[in-house]
Amino acid sequence: MAGRRPLTLICILILFVVYLIGPATAEPGGYVVQPAPDTDPNEERHEFTPISFWDLSPRAMLIGIALSISPALIFPVELLFAVKLWIYLGYRKVAKYNVLNNTVRSEMFECICNNPGITFSALARKCNIGKGTQQYHLKLLMREHKIVSVKKKGQTGFFENDDKYEEIHRTILMQLRSDTVRQIYEILIRHPTISRKELARYLGISGSAVTWQMERLCADGTVFATKSGKYTCYLLNPEVKEILRDYLPDNPVAHVTDLA
C-alpha cells in the first residue's frame, strides 16, 4: 500500500504542471462566485465568499485541473479516488490489533490453535469454507504474524505463531496426522527396538513400504536405525518419546499382543 502513495503524488504533480503550462480558464485570484440578480426585493439574500484554488480539497483540485485540460480526464481522477477509498475501507483496515475481529478468520485461528499442524484441506473441512476464501484469510493471518506455515516433504501445516513448539515438536505434530506414522510410533513405544520384518508384520504392509516410511522418519531425526546382524532395527529418539507422551494413549496399541 505504501508504494501507491508516491505514485499518487507524482500524478498530482504532473497534472499540476500541465495545468500551469496550459491555457487558464479561471481568474488568477481563484474562483469567485457571485449571487444571481435580484428578482424579488423581499427575497432573502445570501453572501458568498471568494474561494482560493489552494483552499479546495485535493480531489477538487485534481478535478479542476482535469477539466482545464480535458473533460475526459475526470474519469481517471474519479477512479483513482474510488480505488483509494476501497483500499482504505477494505484491505488497509485489517491490522494485527483487529485481524481476529472477522468471524471466519477468528474461527480459522481457533481451529489452528486447537489442531497444531493442521493441513490446508483439513482446515477447509473443519471450518466448512471455500478454498479461495480460506487462502485469503490465511494470508492475512500470516501477514499479521498470528500464524506460521511449516512445510515438510511436500505437506504444509499451520501453527499459532508463538514459542510453544520447537522445530522437532512441529515435525512430530505434522507426522501424527498420518495414521500409519501414528501406528509406527505406538509400536516403537511398546517395542523400543524392532526390526523391519516385525514392523511389516504388525502393520500389514510390505517390507518396502515399511522401509519408505522409516527412511522418512529417520531423515526427520525422530527415529534412529541400527544394525543387528543382518537385520535393521529402529528405535525412537528419546526427545521424541517424551513429546509423544502428550499425544498418544497411555497404553498404545493395547489391543495387540506382544510380537515374538
Side-chain angles (χ1 to χ4, degrees), residues 196-208:
R196 188 190 72 152
K197 182 179 179 180
E198 291 172 326
L199 267 175
R201 185 174 63 181
Y202 172 74
L203 294 171
I205 59 178
S206 65
S208 59

Side-chain angles (χ1 to χ4, degrees), residues 73-139:
L73 293 177
I74 293 180
F75 175 74
V77 172
E78 291 288 353
L79 181 61
L80 172 65
F81 279 93
V83 170
K84 289 191 67 176
L85 179 64
W86 176 82
I87 292 173
Y88 177 77
L89 295 178
Y91 185 73
R92 286 187 61 186
K93 74 176 182 180
V94 178
K96 190 170 185 178
Y97 72 92
N98 66 356
V99 68
L100 296 179
N101 288 353
N102 179 278
T103 304
V104 176
R105 276 196 299 274
S106 178
E107 182 182 357
M108 289 173 57
F109 179 71
E110 183 179 358
C111 186
I112 291 171
C113 292
N114 295 333
N115 301 272
I118 190 169
T119 61
F120 183 92
S121 56
L123 183 62
R125 289 194 300 270
K126 283 183 174 292
C127 296
N128 193 27
I129 56 177
K131 292 184 177 180
T133 301
Q134 179 171 278
Q135 286 178 334
Y136 168 74
H137 290 300
L138 283 173
K139 286 180 180 179

